[in-house]
Amino acid sequence: MGTNMSRAELQLSRGKMRPLFFRYAVPGVVAMLFLAMQSIVDGIIVGRLINATALAAVNIVTPVYALVTAVAVIIGVGTQAQMGIHMGSGNYARAKVALHSGILGVAAFIIPATIFVNWFADDIVVFLGANEELLALSKDYIHGVMPLLFGVGGFLFCDYQLKALGHPRFAMIIMILTIILNIVLGIVFVKMGMGTFGVGLGLGLSFTIGLVASGSVIWWEVRHTPNLHEAKGPFSGYMLWRIAYNGSSEGLAEVSIAITMFLFNRTLMTYAGTDGVAAFTLINYILFVGVNIMFGIANGVIPIISYNFGANHGNRILGVSRLAIRSNLVVGVIMMAALWIFGRQIIGMFIDPTESHVTELAVNGARIVSLAFLFNGFNLFAASFFTAVDDAFLSLLVGAMRGLIFLVIGIFTLPYLWGVTGIWLTVPIAETVTILIVFYLAKRWERSHLGNALR
């Protein structure tokens, strides 16, 4: 262990667990809530200030945005975990290698991807299934956000590194200010008559400014952390592969969103038309809130778990894990109850009450899908936990089961049995099957590491 441990490192290795948990989990939740609020407010802006058709058009484009930013999340989370583990073990040179490799890796992908998506933007919109009614609005949105996609990806990467360096509150503040700017720009641009193009442009501009702010803080922090500043850390191809592999579960979640949204949209167009896609968009906005709270808790404590795993402090790993699991269960029960009791009022925030068919589809769908909240908090934490302890295979397996495999199986089978209801049932059934398998995997991991890291 280095002799010049920073204040953040001392807190991670020796601080009281409950205050430490809240120090990292609360900023993670707040940041994710604002990220969810950005999506929700964008939905309100588009649905209220434009129309429900524009809402469906924006949703059609979402898979492109999710696929490209997935790489930023993969490399960001993987870099965060590797930095935490190596700093915990006192190997600051490897931590510096991880940071430099992550930065170069994300830049090498995001910049060419931004160019490619903009070059083929119109063809991509058609491929994603936009019909004549949605085509122009979808193309406007993609042309607004995609030129600044490098800013979105870079900002997401930097958010994770701020937490790895022991500054979850800085990460939270920058996230909040970025989202507020996005909301303001979105409203202003729509009021100026820029439509869905303005909504996309507001997103791209605000996140690019957030990238500049968060990147500046990371640069300053590295220079003022003696052990990191003095360490030599050249780029390593092997480290980048390790980062990408270890962060693949979180990135798979982004990729899965893109794939499953594509499948859900196409299936809903078949069974319920444009109204079904609009209802699914509204449900996603609401689910995004609950999932982001749980994800904020799970991802927020990764630096605690990674650092203490590297330092071989097993009891601290178990302590923070129990706090995270219990917190996610409480959040899940509250979210499910809210959608069953106040579902109609919540849906009414997003769409004009006169569009009654969309409202009914969304209310019924939200109640069924909300059953997933009983289980997905545990599944989300399990994926983050395995990433934090550098068990990339188990993390990827959990992410694939809940976010892709069982969802794809469900969307290809359940609608044939129960129509639109079968589409909504796909999500809770996928989470239920996953938790049964994850519980077994978690118990097996704990037993095999009890005499090693968990002591």
Side-chain angles (χ1 to χ4, degrees):
M1 186 72 65
T3 57
N4 297 318
M5 291 177 68
S6 66
R7 181 180 177 184
E9 290 179 88
L10 289 171
Q11 289 176 331
L12 286 167
S13 62
R14 304 172 190 173
K16 292 183 178 179
M17 184 51 64
R18 191 172 293 272
L20 185 66
F21 170 77
F22 285 110
R23 173 180 170 79
Y24 278 81
V26 171
V29 169
V30 173
M32 287 295 100
L33 278 176
F34 268 82
L35 194 60
M37 186 177 76
Q38 172 259 324
S39 181
I40 290 171
V41 173
D42 275 359
I44 294 173
I45 292 170
V46 174
R48 287 283 189 173
L49 299 185
I50 308 178
N51 52 46
T53 302
L55 198 63
V58 170
N59 191 52
I60 286 287
V61 178
T62 299
V64 179
Y65 171 85
L67 279 170
V68 176
T69 58
V71 175
V73 173
I74 289 171
I75 299 177
V77 174
T79 303
Q80 177 191 43
Q82 292 296 319
M83 285 186 66
I85 291 170
H86 291 304
M87 289 173 70
S89 66
N91 193 340
Y92 293 95
R94 294 299 290 168
K96 192 77 166 286
V97 168
L99 180 59
H100 283 168
S101 301
I103 291 172
L104 291 174
V106 76
F109 176 83
I110 292 296
I111 293 174
T114 300
I115 296 171
F116 176 83
V117 170
N118 281 281
W119 191 271
F120 297 102
D122 291 0
D123 295 327
I124 290 170
V125 170
V126 173
F127 172 77
L128 291 173
N131 58 21
E132 291 185 7
E133 186 180 11
L134 304 178
L135 186 60
L137 293 169
S138 295
K139 287 168 63 174
D140 283 347
Y141 181 78
I142 203 171
H143 283 302
V145 69
M146 295 308 163
L148 295 167
L149 202 58
F150 71 92
V152 178
F155 173 70
L156 293 173
F157 173 84
C158 288
D159 177 69
Y160 289 110
Q161 306 331 307
L162 282 175
K163 299 168 189 174
L165 291 168
H167 292 288
R169 291 173 185 170
F170 270 129
M172 176 187 70
I173 291 169
I174 294 174
M175 178 67 77
I176 290 172
L177 294 177
T178 299
I179 298 306
I180 291 174
L181 178 62
N182 177 28
I183 293 168
V184 171
L185 290 177
I187 294 173
V188 170
F189 290 157
V190 171
K191 289 288 188 180
M192 290 172 60
M194 298 172 69
T196 54
F197 175 84
V199 176
L201 182 62
L203 173 64
L205 283 174
S206 58
F207 275 59
T208 301
I209 294 170
L211 166 62
V212 174
S214 56
S216 299
V217 175
I218 291 171
W219 178 83
W220 186 93
E221 179 60 27
V222 171
R223 289 188 61 84
H224 290 81
T225 302
N227 288 326
L228 271 180
H229 181 57
E230 295 167 6
K232 302 297 182 182
F235 171 82
S236 166
Y238 173 78
M239 177 61 79
L240 180 58
W241 175 86
R242 189 71 217 173
I243 284 169
Y245 182 43
N246 195 35
S248 56
S249 173
E250 278 69 16
L252 177 66
E254 296 293 325
V255 175
S256 298
I257 289 172
I259 295 172
T260 55
M261 285 189 71
F262 170 71
L263 293 175
F264 271 78
N265 286 337
R266 299 284 290 214
T267 306
L268 281 163
M269 285 293 287
T270 300
Y271 283 86
T274 302
D275 284 354
V277 175
F280 179 55
T281 305
L282 296 175
I283 293 171
N284 270 333
Y285 286 142
I286 299 167
L287 294 180
F288 199 43
V289 175
V291 170
N292 269 19
I293 295 173
M294 296 174 181
F295 189 69
I297 293 171
N299 243 16
V301 299
I302 282 180
I304 304 175
I305 296 171
S306 293
Y307 191 94
N308 285 285
F309 182 73
N312 210 28
H313 296 161
N315 289 332
R316 295 179 66 78
I317 297 173
L318 286 175
V320 73
S321 297
R322 292 187 183 112
L323 286 170
I325 291 169
R326 291 168 187 166
S327 299
N328 274 355
L329 179 59
V330 171
V331 172
V333 171
I334 292 172
M335 287 298 300
M336 187 185 73
L339 285 173
W340 275 88
I341 299 171
F342 304 109
R344 190 171 301 277
Q345 290 82 354
I346 294 171
I347 294 296
M349 294 170 55
F350 297 91
I351 195 169
D352 193 310
T354 58
E355 302 196 56
S356 57
H357 188 225
V358 175
T359 300
E360 289 301 320
L361 279 170
V363 170
N364 293 333
R367 287 174 175 169
I368 296 172
V369 175
S370 71
L371 299 173
F373 280 125
L374 294 175
F375 312 112
N376 60 4
F378 184 84
N379 295 335
L380 282 166
F381 174 75
S384 293
F385 176 87
F386 289 130
T387 294
V389 298
D390 203 22
D391 197 326
F393 174 74
L394 289 183
S395 179
L396 184 61
L397 179 61
V398 174
M401 287 190 299
R402 68 168 296 273
L404 186 61
I405 296 172
F406 295 134
L407 284 179
V408 171
I409 292 172
I411 202 65
F412 278 117
T413 57
L414 298 181
Y416 289 103
L417 300 175
W418 299 299
V420 175
T421 301
I423 299 174
W424 305 141
L425 279 171
T426 297
V427 178
I429 289 176
E431 295 286 1
T432 303
V433 176
T434 300
I435 197 173
L436 298 175
I437 300 172
V438 168
F439 187 77
Y440 165 76
L441 294 175
K443 284 297 182 182
R444 190 182 69 173
W445 189 94
E446 182 179 336
R447 285 195 301 269
S448 65
H449 290 77
L450 194 59
N452 188 358
L454 297 181
R455 66 181 181 188

